[in-house]
Amino acid sequence: MGCSYLPQTSITSPYLPNMRHTLFLALLFSSGLVTAVPTHKCKTKLKGPSRPTLDQVKESFYEAHIVPDLLPEFDPTSLLYLTYKSDSFKDKDSGIVLPGKRFAKDATSSPPEISFEGPGWPGPYVFFLLDPDAPSHSDPKWSQVRHMFAGNLTIDSDSERVPGSVVLGNSTEPVNYYMPPAPPPGSGFHRYVGLLYAQPPDFDYSFLNTSDRFGFNITQFSKKSGLGTPLAGTFLTVKVKEDDDAYWLPMHMIKDIWSYWRQIAFKIL
């Protein structure tokens, strides 16, 4: 959308009736003696992908049935961004997670940058990445899977990947390190939902078995720990083909994935 311009002039004539005044100004503009001046400047758009509004993010959670599959309701006050780095991306903006964006498995092997944009809670923050579609969307009997749980997140710096947002960094180690998406082959698309919360002063999750990532319930956890409702959220989808190749991962991620599938085996047996 272009800028709109309205003519301004310092010429005033209280002695002329309105119609005569208008005609007089029209003659001046047409003669070139007076030029139009814009009443405001065009705002330069931020570089990068098109940003969703809060209403659009909220609507996407309902359309994708994250409400009620994962949350009873969702009313964000800030925008959450996850940004992946991968050689497979065509450009740097390709790694920015916008609600519902599809990603290849190998593009999500490394932890994303976590940033947000919106009115402020000074921190600290709590972040979750959850899969409500385990082992599949049609049979989510192991839902929810905690792919990441990190607390004590604080504002670190301005994001270079998503201008206008601020990056959150860990002041302590995550409770559960990032475990990359690894949906079972042929299980269809999985939704991976990122949620950002304001961390309460006496945040206590000692009741949680942090080694068991399966069967988690974010709503029950939030009530019991006093975490409340999320400030922001986003989600990506990942699908693994039947013949998808494996990829190399850091050792701590391999251990997490081995633990993940071992827990699945125990549940089956």
Side-chain angles (χ1 to χ4, degrees):
M1 182 177 180
C3 293
S4 59
Y5 294 92
L6 295 176
Q8 286 186 332
T9 177
S10 60
I11 299 176
T12 58
S13 178
Y15 305 105
L16 292 173
N18 289 339
M19 181 61 71
R20 291 178 61 193
H21 189 190
T22 302
L23 291 172
F24 177 64
L25 290 176
L27 288 171
L28 287 176
F29 284 120
S30 63
S31 68
L33 296 175
V34 177
T35 57
V37 179
T39 59
H40 65 280
K41 295 181 179 179
C42 291
K43 292 183 178 180
T44 302
K45 292 184 178 180
L46 291 173
K47 294 181 179 179
S50 177
R51 309 285 183 86
T53 65
L54 288 174
D55 286 340
Q56 288 172 331
V57 173
K58 179 178 179 178
E59 183 180 2
S60 71
F61 267 58
Y62 283 83
E63 288 182 347
H65 301 288
I66 294 170
V67 178
D69 291 354
L70 190 76
L71 299 168
E73 58 184 356
F74 182 61
D75 192 16
T77 57
S78 299
L79 294 170
L80 175 65
Y81 301 103
L82 307 179
T83 307
Y84 287 99
K85 293 182 179 180
S86 173
D87 294 335
S88 64
F89 294 141
K90 294 180 180 179
D91 55 67
K92 65 178 182 179
D93 293 335
S94 298
I96 300 174
V97 174
L98 300 176
K101 187 173 180 179
R102 295 182 179 183
F103 281 79
K105 182 187 70 173
D106 61 354
T108 62
S109 60
S110 299
E113 174 189 273
I114 303 170
S115 64
F116 83 100
E117 175 185 3
W121 165 260
Y125 297 86
V126 176
F127 173 77
F128 283 96
L129 184 64
L130 305 172
D131 176 6
D133 299 320
S136 68
H137 179 69
S138 60
D139 184 25
K141 58 188 175 184
W142 301 327
S143 174
Q144 304 150 15
V145 178
R146 269 192 333 275
H147 278 259
M148 187 174 180
F149 170 18
N152 298 317
L153 296 174
T154 55
I155 295 174
D156 186 30
S157 61
D158 292 334
S159 174
E160 295 181 359
R161 306 291 300 281
V162 187
S165 69
V166 290
V167 177
L168 295 176
N170 280 90
S171 57
T172 59
E173 290 189 1
V175 179
N176 292 125
Y177 278 94
Y178 176 75
M179 182 172 67
S187 64
F189 281 102
H190 283 227
R191 297 163 294 174
Y192 294 89
V193 184
L195 297 172
L196 186 68
Y197 293 81
Q199 181 171 317
D202 299 321
F203 182 45
D204 181 13
Y205 55 89
S206 58
F207 59 89
L208 178 68
N209 179 3
T210 57
S211 63
D212 185 1
R213 296 187 182 227
F214 285 80
F216 183 66
N217 187 303
I218 186 62
T219 301
Q220 293 178 5
F221 177 87
S222 298
K223 290 179 179 179
K224 196 167 183 178
S225 65
L227 195 58
T229 57
L231 300 173
T234 190
F235 67 101
L236 63 148
T237 61
V238 178
K239 179 181 180 181
V240 175
K241 299 177 182 178
E242 293 285 357
D243 57 350
D244 205 1
D245 294 329
Y247 47 62
W248 293 99
L249 294 172
M251 183 56 66
H252 75 272
M253 291 186 183
I254 293 174
K255 290 180 179 178
D256 282 338
I257 292 177
W258 168 246
S259 174
Y260 177 99
W261 288 110
R262 186 174 61 181
Q263 290 177 46
I264 289 179
F266 283 141
K267 290 179 184 292
I268 292 175
L269 297 175

